[in-house]
DNA sequence: GCTAATTGGACCGGAACAGTACTGTTTCCT
DNA sequence: AGGAAACAGTACTGTTCCGGTCCAATTAGC
């Protein structure tokens, strides 16, 4: 249902919390302060470390730390780190579309995909912490349907 | 990985095809002209009928027909009809967030969600048929990262 | 009134994901 | 040098959801 995985949600929460304290923090501490189960938060941080979002310090007194300030980490980065590349359909980016010849809409999905990616790239973790999203995107919280006759869900 | 279901993809293809012929069309015919398996296209049309995107005519000589012109059907409508409401996280729109008190980012996901929904609502099925998306959204296909230091995937 | 064609709704199998646990490696402190 | 603390990697299990199939209800035409 066009929803991102829970892991991504957890990742954002953990990263924002990590950005608030500007020091090396361990998984258990992050687990306690966020409410995320300890093994899960560890897993998330682990993935984020491999993607360069956070840096890890092994051994005793180790932990994780943000590799970049919150302002420089976009939501899109986190999503791509956890869930993989943002590809709405398999056709996007040269995927093997079994009905490419008959479907009629050449690479139009790429445009939709780009629109999403652009919207996600415009929002940073700092925007999630503060409440500055409204200012930067200006009224995006308007009712979704432009002329909305269909899908009254 | 933030990808929408195949059914939604099929739905868009079927709807665009349905919009090209402006008459009642049966599932088998749509299946042949789109390359989508017959049972699948039938299922998709079925769902779209319940959501009011298409109107159905039962019995012999029945079939489906668009309830609105392609220009009035947004991608968001189709996604919501097939995949359900666009909710990136469970927190969105009053969902039960088990860690609402500790996660720290109140309803910030709503903003992200709204951004996505807005981007999706700006694109209609007519845009998918023609290639007018670029004109209407103006350069959304730019490289995603704004300052992109992280997630070099 | 009967037959054929077509939609409507329910059911089932399979894949993907979330979450958990375990073991190994690295580093600090005593 | 020894022990403890913490990350790194791998494997496993349970659940959820998607995708596809089958049967029942309905209507036009003869």
């Amino acid at each position: 249902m066009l929803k991102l995985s829970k892991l991504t949600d957890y990742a954002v929460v953990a990263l924002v919390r990590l950005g608030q304290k500007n020091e090396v923090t361990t998984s258990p501490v992050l687990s306690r302060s966020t409410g995320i189960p300890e093994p899960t938060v560890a897993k998330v941080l682990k993935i984020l470390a491999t993607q360069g979002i956070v840096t890890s310090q092994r051994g005793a007194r180790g932990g994780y730390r943000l590799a970049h300030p919150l302002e420089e980490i976009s939501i899109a980065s986190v999503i791509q780190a956890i869930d993989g590349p943002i590809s709405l359909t398999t056709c996007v980016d040269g995927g093997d579309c079994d009905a490419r010849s008959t479907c009629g809409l050449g690479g139009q999905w790429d445009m939709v995909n780009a629109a999403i990616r652009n919207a996600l790239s415009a929002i940073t973790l700092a925007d999630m912490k503060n409440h500055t999203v409204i200012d930067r995107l200006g009224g995006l919280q308007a009712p979704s349907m432009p002329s909305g006759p269909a899908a009254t869900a």
Side-chain angles (χ1 to χ4, degrees), chain A residues 6-21:
Chain A
K6 254 185 188 175
L7 274 301
T8 305
D9 189 358
Y10 290 156
V12 172
V13 174
L15 285 172
V16 169
R17 187 57 56 101
L18 203 54
Q20 289 173 343
K21 20 191 352 182

Side-chain angles (χ1 to χ4, degrees), chain A residues 13-149:
Chain A
V13 174
L15 285 172
V16 169
R17 187 57 56 101
L18 203 54
Q20 289 173 343
K21 20 191 352 182
N22 212 357
E23 55 187 13
V24 176
T25 312
T26 67
S27 299
V29 171
L30 244 64
S31 170
R32 274 189 291 275
S33 66
T34 57
I36 304 170
E38 194 170 322
T40 302
V41 71
K43 183 179 188 175
V44 170
L45 268 305
K46 223 175 299 181
I47 298 173
L48 292 175
T50 64
Q51 300 297 319
I53 307 274
V54 299
T55 58
S56 63
Q57 176 67 31
R58 298 184 65 155
R61 304 292 292 257
Y64 295 97
R65 200 159 41 84
L66 287 182
H68 307 276
L70 287 178
E71 290 80 13
E72 293 179 8
I73 305 176
S74 69
I75 296 289
S77 306
V78 181
I79 294 176
Q80 288 185 1
I82 302 289
D83 279 354
I86 298 175
S87 305
L88 261 55
T89 66
T90 53
C91 300
V92 172
D93 204 45
D96 56 340
C97 182
D98 52 349
R100 183 183 297 273
S101 57
T102 50
C103 79
L105 25 93
Q108 292 305 295
W109 278 117
D110 288 351
M111 298 302 164
V112 181
N113 207 48
I116 302 261
R117 211 154 42 195
N118 191 276
L120 256 36
S121 298
I123 305 176
T124 70
L125 291 183
D127 294 324
M128 295 294 283
K129 187 182 75 170
N130 313 323
H131 293 207
T132 57
V133 186
I134 308 110
D135 298 336
R136 291 194 43 201
L137 297 179
L140 277 183
Q141 72 281 15
S144 15
M145 300 289 106
S147 58

